[in-house]
Amino acid sequence: MGDLANSAGEAGPGGGFGCSLAELRALMELRGAEALLKVQEAYGDVHGLCRRLRTSPTDGLSEGAAELDRRRQVFGQNWIPPKRPKTFVELVWEALQDVTLIILEVAAVVSLGLSFYAPPSGDTEVCGHASGGTEDEGEAEAGWIEGAAILLSVACVVLVTAFNDWSKERQFRGLQSRIEQEQRFTVVRHGRQAQVPVAELVVGDVAQVKYGDLLPADGILIQGNDLKIDESALTGESDHVRKSVDKDPMLLSGTHVMEGSGKMVVTAVGVNSQSGIIFTLLGAGGEEEEEKKEKKGKPQDGAVENLQSKAKKQDGAVAMEMQPLKSAEGGDVEERERKRSSGPKKEKSVLQGKLTKLAVQIGKAGLVMSAVTVIILVLYFVIETLVEGRPWLAECTPVYVQYWVKFFIIGVTVLVVAVPEGLPLAVTISLAYSVKKMMRDNNLVRHLDACETMGNATAICSDKTGTLTTNRMTVVQAFLGDTHFRTPPPDPASIAPRTLDLLVQAIAINSAYTTKILPPETAGGLPRQVGNKTECALLGLVLALRRDYEAVRAQVPEERLYKVYTFNSVRKSMSTVTRLPAGGFRLYSKGASEILLRRCCAILGVGGEARAFGPRDREDVVRKVVEPMAAAGLRTLVLAFRDFPPVPEPPWDDEAAIVGELTCIAVVGIEDPVRPRGAGTRGGGDVPEAIRKCQRAGITVRMVTGDNLNTARAIAAKCGILPAGEDWLCLEGKEFNRRIRNEKGEIEQERLDKVWPKLRVLARSSPTDKHTLVKGIIDSTVGDQRQVVAVTGDGTNDGPALKKADVGFAMGIAGTDVAKEASDIILTDDNFSSIVKAVMWGRNVYDSISKFLQFQLTVNVVAVVVAFTGACITQDSPLKAVQMLWVNLIMDTFASLALATEPPTEALLLRKPYGRNKPLISRTMLKNILGHAAYQLVIIFTLLFVGAWTRGPSRPGGC
């Protein structure tokens, strides 16, 4: 496939198309006015380019599979060849670089060489007869076995390590491949919209671009509505770039759509796109390519740095996924680039931190024990052999060296046994096993350490819509024509024709045209909601009123929309301007009730006529309509319109002036019920029950939503986030900011610490408020333990909060590409109950590692004490190096498999999180370790020292 992509364009100039690959690549390197001028000179306009590419700006491609394949041959595939994975031989070589193993290898080779040496006299009495070195004739003849066996043990360790590295790399490449395969993009083919895998995009496709998308290919804008792009990944500039057909129509792969929508014609894909070129320079297309293009890549250093983290994702997930363990792909260059390109890093996970600390302590203790062992053995030998008056004989030098090598091997063996070699293996197996099983529980883990971190979570900041609720919205109440319809749907005959027409047009036109209601997949099922669920609820109301929204859209196609102010977290509304047939303009607007009602100066009455709408009328509507709807847990939206004369043309850039003096058409109440039992989770489980489990497990659940405070409070009460009888805080974003900021508008941690412990609902919040809350909880020093915070998010602007959190959950269904990229775990069913499963698996990992540590350290303590004591008393280790290595390897591997693959149970949710300060080895574990060790030592020492008397005479140290 890589050859196919890279050899694209060789089938003649343009391959039968009106423009060549090289021409399109050169075009996409231009920006702004320069690019626009080039398009006009070469093609006339973007429609001329479409004709050259044999595509329609409205209907897209109308070709079969064979023609699409031909386009891939000519212009390349939308696929960037990943970096070549390391071969098994390379992984073996990496495993051989371990310092301890190198020492053992050298010692074993020396031992093996000396074992074939026999003193010339045949009698070693003259060389001294240190008891530690005496061997009977049979042992002397088989002296080579120890050196060979050590080499064999080292080979086994290396092969097992290399195999584990190879298998985990394979697994995570598969995981990355699955994430990429699930990425789909909306294109127009044969005049119909279709969701196609990103890898199937071809040059000439007409793609729909919308808020939250991560652009998968380069393209030129055909039609845009208030489109703003974040190009910082390519240019390093943090300001959003406004895109329009007449000023800057160039859209680049790897950039994020922050606002608006539009359509583009795809002009470059895969390695020929702008991000693909940089990935190739970074080496994602192969290591040889990296060397060849290293110098060429220097002028684009800024872009290279910004795309480094994404390139590593293409390289294979291992380098970034396997943070608790030794990276299988991390090289010096990648480490350097990672430091340069990444911002502030998350601190180590709880388990990582504790394991690192324990490993250092064990390493130091093992080093001291091994050094003392070697010193004692050497002193014994020197005193018994040389100090007793024997001269140093030249022919005895190899014998002395053989003894010292043997002592050194014993010392290294003590060190090897002291360090729990199986611990990394146990962590790898446990995490990999958990990640695989978590996928069945709708948790797609992107960063491996997030799995374990989730087990120590103390707080969850959750979205409301789709996570705690079903995200299947329905309009259940409506206020229009001065009538409050409390039972859906209202009878169309009871609504004035003008009001009904305006309502249908306001909904059909002022919505994303990608949002649709489709027939059910199975007979008797519910209609399928595609796109924004709130807009789907409004379209459902249109259908319930026996009107056809598609007919309205056909009369006013998307390309004829004059101006669109797309929804974002600041506006909390969406407005669309269209030209009226008789001249002039009409603006349709929908948004949060408390915001849009303040902008209304009129309201449609019973007969469809507009009447004045003053402050007192507004208060009446809020008190009698909006508040009762919100108290029932309904999301309230206002639909409004405004007409403008043809001249003078309104100042469209002055949004505050345009979206004002509106006429209210209707207020609707949209129900999004709390998830019932079995709504999307394996094995069922409703949200209130899941939240009760979290609270029982010592995890505080907070709702952070953009919805109305009354709606949020009602849903929180239904979910159990607000237990009855307790004094919890429910705040709106404005009040939250007022409480946590000083007179200068600066956030103070002390003020925040007074708010967050009791805060349970944060309504009408912006993504900045969510980030502030998450950062404040993490940075807080209130309480004994540092809080471990998990956050859910679905919007583009949730990215900062998802990155700041210890564990970021992105919504797999409703989430934007930007949110998914910033997350650690993707919830494939958008369900809160799946988060609880993640907590169980995380705690299970921690407990599995603790069980393995207890087992491992017991054996290590016994082995080290026996080796050390034996060396000091008998001047030899009762356990040979081979025996200890073999036990260490075989025992560790099977124990890791047994203890690390134990499934979690509900009992894990009956305790509080362990926290960062609780030692990894608890008091109970320590008692068990010391108790078992004492028992084993008594048995071993009895056999070692008393056993010889019961068997009769034997050499010291025989066992």
Side-chain angles (χ1 to χ4, degrees):
M1 286 176 81
D3 294 338
L4 181 64
N6 292 316
S7 64
E10 294 176 3
F17 295 93
C19 39
S20 67
L21 172 63
E23 190 181 326
L24 291 174
R25 271 183 68 153
L27 175 64
M28 293 315 298
E29 288 174 2
L30 304 177
R31 303 284 184 274
E34 188 183 4
L36 193 60
L37 184 63
K38 179 69 175 175
V39 170
Q40 289 169 349
E41 287 177 355
Y43 312 107
D45 58 12
V46 69
H47 292 271
L49 175 61
C50 289
R51 283 193 293 275
R52 294 270 197 101
L53 291 173
R54 303 212 301 260
T55 186
S56 164
T58 53
D59 294 341
L61 294 173
S62 301
E63 301 172 344
E67 279 299 310
L68 293 178
D69 286 340
R70 186 164 170 277
R71 285 181 183 268
R72 293 187 185 101
Q73 289 174 356
V74 174
F75 296 110
Q77 296 177 316
N78 197 28
W79 180 76
I80 298 172
K83 189 174 182 178
R84 180 182 63 83
K86 290 183 178 173
T87 62
F88 187 74
V89 174
E90 287 173 321
L91 292 172
V92 167
W93 178 250
E94 275 191 5
L96 281 168
Q97 307 308 306
D98 186 276
V99 177
T100 311
L101 291 181
I102 291 172
I103 294 170
L104 272 174
E105 289 160 17
V106 172
V109 168
V110 174
S111 171
L112 191 61
L114 291 172
S115 68
F116 295 109
Y117 175 81
S121 61
D123 183 7
T124 60
E125 284 296 327
V126 292
C127 298
H129 203 105
S131 58
T134 46
E135 293 176 337
D136 59 29
E137 190 177 341
E139 280 190 337
E141 288 177 1
W144 62 273
I145 292 177
E146 183 168 15
I150 291 174
L151 287 177
L152 180 63
S153 298
V154 167
C156 287
V157 171
V158 166
L159 288 172
V160 169
T161 304
F163 177 76
N164 281 311
D165 284 346
W166 176 79
S167 59
K168 79 188 177 196
E169 180 174 344
R170 189 159 161 257
Q171 178 179 354
F172 282 99
R173 278 184 181 270
L175 175 63
Q176 185 62 28
S177 175
R178 172 173 169 173
I179 292 171
E180 288 172 1
Q181 285 169 7
E182 288 187 351
Q183 276 189 303
R184 291 178 170 266
F185 211 72
T186 305
V187 298
V188 180
R189 288 183 181 172
H190 304 283
R192 292 190 299 273
Q193 290 181 1
Q195 290 272 331
V196 300
V198 163
E200 292 182 14
L201 283 177
V202 296
V203 170
D205 258 328
V206 173
Q208 294 276 3
V209 176
K210 65 182 184 303
Y211 161 79
D213 281 343
L214 174 65
L215 298 183
D218 292 351
I220 297 179
L221 193 63
I222 298 173
Q223 172 263 326
N225 302 315
D226 196 28
L227 196 61
K228 290 182 183 175
I229 305 290
D230 176 7
E231 293 186 344
S232 59
L234 284 175
T235 65
E237 295 293 333
S238 57
D239 291 342
H240 298 165
V241 181
R242 187 181 290 276
K243 298 288 181 178
S244 62
V245 175
D246 56 349
K247 288 184 180 176
D248 184 3
M250 314 306 279
L251 301 179
L252 306 174
S253 57
T255 59
H256 298 131
V257 182
M258 304 307 288
E259 283 188 36
S261 61
K263 283 197 296 189
M264 73 172 187
V265 58
V266 176
T267 53
V269 294
V271 293
N272 301 308
S273 66
Q274 292 301 294
S275 60
I277 292 168
I278 293 174
F279 280 132
T280 306
L281 292 173
L282 284 166
E287 291 178 9
E288 292 177 10
E289 195 77 9
E290 184 179 13
E291 291 172 14
K292 288 178 187 173
K293 299 195 176 181
E294 188 177 0
K295 291 181 181 177
K296 293 181 186 176
K298 286 182 181 176
Q300 301 191 40
D301 273 351
V304 169
E305 284 181 38
N306 283 291
L307 276 172
Q308 177 66 30
S309 59
K310 294 177 192 171
K312 289 209 302 298
K313 210 185 300 176
Q314 293 280 349
D315 293 346
V318 183
M320 74 172 183
E321 309 290 356
M322 301 302 294
Q323 291 175 15
L325 311 170
K326 186 168 65 179
S327 167
E329 284 212 338
D332 293 340
V333 176
E334 285 187 345
E335 286 297 327
R336 197 161 57 244
E337 286 291 340
R338 188 182 300 152
K339 288 173 186 172
R340 287 167 59 195
S341 63
S342 62
K345 292 183 181 178
K346 293 182 186 179
E347 59 186 283
K348 286 181 179 178
S349 72
V350 177
L351 185 61
Q352 271 180 281
K354 291 180 179 180
L355 285 176
T356 303
K357 186 177 177 182
L358 182 67
V360 170
Q361 291 171 341
I362 291 175
K364 287 178 180 176
L367 198 61
V368 169
M369 292 291 282
S370 66
V372 171
T373 303
V374 172
I375 290 168
I376 290 174
L377 287 170
V378 170
L379 286 175
Y380 260 119
F381 177 77
V382 169
I383 291 169
E384 287 194 10
T385 307
L386 301 177
V387 177
E388 289 178 0
R390 292 188 177 85
W392 181 289
L393 301 174
E395 62 269 22
C396 292
T397 301
V399 177
Y400 297 154
V401 171
Q402 193 170 4
Y403 284 137
W404 291 336
V405 168
K406 185 177 182 180
F407 299 153
F408 183 67
I409 288 174
I410 291 171
V412 173
T413 304
V414 170
L415 176 60
V416 169
V417 172
V419 177
E421 297 285 336
L423 191 54
L425 182 63
V427 175
T428 303
I429 291 173
S430 185
L431 287 174
Y433 172 78
S434 299
V435 165
K436 194 173 180 182
K437 293 293 185 183
M438 284 172 74
M439 289 170 86
R440 297 184 184 178
D441 287 330
N442 304 305
N443 285 275
L444 183 58
V445 180
R446 296 183 69 246
H447 297 147
L448 200 60
D449 59 332
C451 169
E452 175 272 320
T453 304
M454 198 55 212
N456 284 281
T458 56
I460 298 174
C461 295
S462 174
D463 277 347
K464 174 182 74 70
T465 305
T467 310
L468 301 174
T469 58
T470 59
N471 202 22
R472 183 173 182 86
M473 301 196 191
T474 312
V475 175
V476 294
Q477 292 189 34
F479 176 80
L480 66 164
D482 286 336
T483 307
H484 191 167
F485 296 93
R486 299 177 187 276
T487 54
D491 182 7
S494 63
I495 304 171
R498 181 169 185 260
T499 303
L500 187 57
D501 288 341
L502 282 168
L503 178 66
V504 171
Q505 289 167 10
I507 292 172
I509 295 171
N510 190 32
S511 299
Y513 278 36
T514 52
T515 301
K516 296 180 177 182
I517 303 286
L518 298 178
E521 290 181 331
T522 56
L526 293 171
R528 285 180 292 153
Q529 296 184 340
V530 178
N532 183 284
K533 302 303 181 186
T534 304
E535 292 180 347
C536 284
L538 295 173
L539 293 178
L541 174 62
V542 172
L543 296 175
L545 292 170
R546 300 193 282 279
R547 291 297 188 96
D548 183 7
Y549 66 87
E550 289 286 9
V552 178
R553 287 179 174 178
Q555 291 174 357
V556 188
E558 191 173 9
E559 50 271 16
R560 280 179 48 194
L561 299 179
Y562 192 79
K563 177 76 176 175
V564 178
Y565 302 95
T566 51
F567 178 87
N568 64 32
S569 57
V570 177
R571 289 190 181 115
K572 296 197 183 299
S573 66
M574 176 182 177
S575 303
T576 302
V577 180
T578 62
R579 283 186 182 274
L580 293 172
F585 305 91
R586 176 168 289 169
L587 172 128
Y588 296 105
S589 191
K590 70 170 184 283
S593 54
E594 65 269 33
I595 292 174
L596 279 198
L597 281 177
R598 286 200 300 268
R599 298 179 184 173
C600 290
C601 63
I603 188 169
L604 296 180
V606 179
E609 74 290 346
R611 61 176 173 79
F613 188 65
R616 184 170 295 177
D617 298 316
R618 187 179 304 116
E619 287 173 13
D620 283 346
V621 170
V622 169
R623 189 178 67 257
K624 294 177 181 177
V625 178
V626 175
E627 288 181 354
M629 284 183 181
L634 305 183
R635 168 180 284 187
T636 57
L637 286 183
V638 167
L639 300 164
F641 79 101
R642 179 184 178 183
D643 286 339
F644 295 92
V647 288
E649 186 163 336
W652 301 117
D653 290 335
D654 186 0
E655 186 182 342
I658 296 297
V659 188
E661 299 181 22
L662 303 172
T663 299
C664 178
I665 302 171
V667 180
V668 295
I670 299 174
E671 182 183 46
D672 185 12
V674 172
R675 280 185 179 269
R677 179 170 295 277
T681 47
R682 276 176 65 87
D686 57 358
V687 165
E689 176 60 24
I691 288 174
R692 279 194 293 275
K693 287 178 181 177
C694 284
Q695 291 165 342
R696 200 163 56 235
I699 302 169
T700 302
V701 181
R702 294 178 176 85
M703 179 195 291
V704 184
T705 179
D707 241 343
N708 178 293
L709 179 60
N710 291 332
T711 305
R713 189 188 282 117
I715 296 292
K718 288 180 182 177
C719 291
I721 291 174
L722 295 174
E726 300 199 41
D727 183 24
W728 304 118
L729 277 179
C730 298
L731 299 177
E732 284 193 338
K734 285 184 179 178
E735 176 64 14
F736 172 70
N737 278 286
R738 189 187 66 76
R739 292 194 183 199
I740 65 171
R741 295 178 188 272
N742 59 21
E743 297 75 18
K744 297 178 182 177
E746 298 166 339
I747 297 169
E748 289 185 354
Q749 185 65 42
E750 288 181 11
R751 290 173 179 246
L752 194 51
D753 287 343
K754 292 177 183 175
V755 174
W756 73 259
K758 282 190 169 293
L759 182 67
R760 290 298 177 270
V761 175
L762 184 58
R764 285 290 180 236
S765 63
S766 67
T768 307
D769 295 335
K770 183 187 280 191
H771 180 265
T772 301
L773 176 63
V774 171
K775 184 178 184 299
I777 296 175
I778 289 174
D779 294 345
S780 177
T781 54
V782 174
D784 300 332
Q785 303 280 353
R786 198 279 252 177
Q787 295 281 309
V788 177
V789 183
V791 170
T792 69
D794 56 7
T796 299
N797 292 331
D798 286 329
L802 289 168
K803 279 189 175 293
K804 180 62 185 173
D806 294 289
V807 182
F809 285 89
M811 304 295 106
I813 300 169
T816 62
D817 293 340
V818 181
K820 291 174 186 176
E821 195 176 75
S823 68
D824 300 298
I825 299 175
I826 297 173
L827 292 178
T828 56
D829 64 344
D830 290 10
N831 194 337
F832 185 87
S833 298
S834 299
I835 299 177
V836 181
K837 297 281 182 70
V839 173
M840 284 173 57
W841 279 107
R843 292 188 174 189
N844 190 59
V845 168
Y846 192 101
D847 286 5
S848 296
I849 300 303
S850 295
K851 291 172 189 172
F852 176 77
L853 265 178
Q854 179 175 312
F855 166 78
Q856 171 83 74
L857 292 180
T858 301
V859 178
N860 284 18
V861 166
V862 172
V864 169
V865 171
V866 168
F868 176 73
T869 308
C872 294
I873 297 175
T874 69
Q875 300 166 48
D876 196 2
S877 173
L879 297 171
K880 301 297 182 187
V882 181
Q883 293 170 328
M884 287 194 277
L885 282 171
W886 191 255
V887 167
N888 223 17
L889 175 71
I890 299 301
M891 175 189 71
D892 290 354
T893 304
F894 289 107
S896 297
L897 283 168
L899 295 172
T901 55
E902 194 172 346
T905 63
E906 291 279 343
L908 291 166
L909 297 175
L910 299 178
R911 64 166 174 81
K912 306 293 183 191
Y914 284 137
R916 291 181 176 272
N917 302 334
K918 189 181 190 308
L920 189 58
I921 301 174
S922 65
R923 189 169 295 178
T924 305
M925 283 175 64
L926 194 60
K927 287 178 184 175
N928 290 338
I929 290 169
L930 295 177
H932 280 282
Y935 167 73
Q936 291 179 30
L937 286 170
V938 167
I939 300 296
I940 290 172
F941 285 146
T942 301
L943 293 173
L944 183 62
F945 298 114
V946 182
W949 299 343
T950 60
R951 294 199 312 269
S954 175
R955 73 178 184 89
C959 179

